[in-house]
Amino acid sequence: MYIKKILLAIALIGLVIAGYFAYFVYNAMLKPNTAFNNETAYIYVPTNATYAEVREQLEPLLKDIDSFDALAVQKKYTTNIKAGRFPVKKGMSNNDIINSIRSNNLPIKLSFNNQERIEDLAGRIAQQIEPDSLSLLKAMTDSTFLKEKNFTKQTVINMYVPNTYEFFWNTSPELFRDKMLGEYYRFWNDSRQAKRKALKLSVNEVMTIASIVQKETAKIDERPRVAGVYLNRIRKGWPLEADPTVIYAKKLKENNFDQVIKRVLYKDLEIDSKYNTYKYPGIPPGPITMPDVSAIDAVLNPEKHNYMFFVADVKNFGYHKFAKTLAQHNANKRLYTQWISSQGINR
């Protein structure tokens, strides 16, 4: 009888322990533990992050951080942290959350367009992935890389074709750069290369002309016509005389790319810079901005016409008036000059 009581007591203690263990397992592993209302929250785990850094991001998202801590230790997550961007879905348990932030690194949609300089591009990219702008810029302008891939500091921005791409948030600067090189080669496919060769232009020359077209008009439907003007001038050996190149030359000379210039003055045309296409004939040494795909394709597929000049159309804002002769252009230019002066735009 005494032995039966002991066995019963042991059994009861075992049930209590089993019940407590089941309760712990449920609370620590299986019970929903999120405290936010959106369907999904994301945490961004830096490279070489500590558990404390992960915990700091998770704490506002969870109802019970202590139960999460206990399971994180049990599952050895605290000593095996992976970098990346990880989703935490509403209603997830601690076990689900640990599994997600351990193995479900989701890519981001990274996009950029129309940056004037490689420095600006590095800053734009740094807003979207983990590396800072200085480390990105260092990788982008690495002299060994530039030499191996036939770029210069003036032309390397050509390598980055504006679009939206998929990257992991914790992508390294070098991996970002190398993947963009692959995208550049993919962009310059056989069809585009054939059109470039037919124009007797290098890739850099196409991109540089496209950058001028980009700055001249925001109207995509007008870009092939503007491109046609510049290609006509190149064929005839005329200087490009593009105002955006003068603006770029001024910004470059003064090392001030924040200034806003709405009017080019006659004194600006004397700026001594290879980018000043009023002073120096031919195509500038590199692009004056990052051209988008529509501007590049406009140069590769230009409108065929006999126009040699154009100026802003004051009656159809955003578009331009085109001319075949200097006399016609001067008449169009007078209308524009009168209008811009009437608006009080002096710079």
Side-chain angles (χ1 to χ4, degrees), residues 29-254:
M29 294 188 66
L30 306 176
K31 183 180 178 181
N33 191 27
T34 56
F36 53 87
N37 294 321
N38 295 336
E39 285 303 311
T40 307
Y42 294 91
I43 68 166
Y44 294 80
V45 181
T47 302
N48 300 319
T50 64
Y51 179 67
E53 291 175 285
V54 179
R55 190 183 191 276
E56 185 179 3
Q57 289 193 58
L58 282 172
E59 189 167 8
L61 304 177
L62 304 185
K63 292 177 182 176
D64 182 2
I65 191 66
D66 293 331
S67 67
F68 182 85
D69 288 337
L71 189 62
V73 171
Q74 186 75 19
K75 297 192 71 168
K76 297 182 171 54
Y77 174 74
T78 56
T79 56
N80 188 25
I81 294 167
K82 300 289 173 55
R85 169 182 177 261
F86 302 98
V88 178
K89 294 184 179 296
K90 182 180 179 181
M92 271 186 166
S93 67
N94 288 332
N95 192 56
D96 293 333
I97 295 168
I98 291 173
N99 288 342
S100 181
I101 65 178
R102 173 176 276 161
S103 60
N104 196 18
N105 186 9
L106 294 182
I108 64 163
K109 298 288 186 182
L110 181 151
S111 61
F112 56 87
N113 62 354
N114 309 139
Q115 307 299 310
E116 275 192 310
R117 301 173 301 156
I118 196 70
E119 292 87 349
D120 301 321
L121 177 61
R124 174 77 180 109
I125 301 307
Q127 295 171 2
Q128 300 174 75
I129 59 176
E130 181 185 11
D132 61 38
S133 58
L134 289 178
S135 61
L136 283 163
L137 184 61
K138 182 179 178 182
M140 291 169 159
T141 57
D142 177 72
S143 58
T144 301
F145 173 83
L146 295 182
K147 186 175 181 180
E148 285 178 355
K149 306 305 178 185
N150 295 315
F151 289 106
T152 66
K153 281 193 174 183
Q154 290 73 36
T155 65
V156 69
I157 200 168
N158 290 339
M159 202 182 94
Y160 301 89
V161 180
N163 210 329
T164 299
Y165 302 94
E166 273 199 356
F167 279 93
F168 288 110
W169 176 76
N170 57 313
T171 298
S172 70
E174 292 76 19
L175 188 58
F176 168 75
R177 175 199 67 195
D178 294 346
K179 183 174 178 181
M180 290 310 305
L181 179 65
E183 295 292 341
Y184 167 80
Y185 289 145
R186 196 164 13 258
F187 177 81
W188 282 101
N189 54 29
D190 291 344
S191 174
R192 286 192 173 96
Q193 289 284 12
K195 291 174 181 179
R196 170 191 70 76
K197 291 174 183 176
L199 292 170
K200 298 180 180 178
L201 296 172
S202 68
V203 169
N204 179 55
E205 288 172 331
V206 170
M207 297 290 277
T208 300
I209 297 167
S211 73
I212 299 171
V213 172
Q214 175 85 33
K215 283 289 190 179
E216 288 285 16
T217 179
K219 302 296 184 181
I220 292 175
D221 60 327
E222 191 184 51
R223 284 177 175 171
R225 178 168 291 190
V226 172
V229 171
Y230 286 125
L231 292 172
N232 285 346
R233 295 180 77 94
I234 289 168
R235 275 191 287 268
K236 291 200 171 189
W238 291 18
L240 296 184
E241 295 186 346
D243 285 1
T245 66
V246 180
I247 293 171
Y248 184 85
K250 184 176 187 299
K251 290 180 176 181
L252 186 65
K253 182 180 180 181
E254 297 171 5

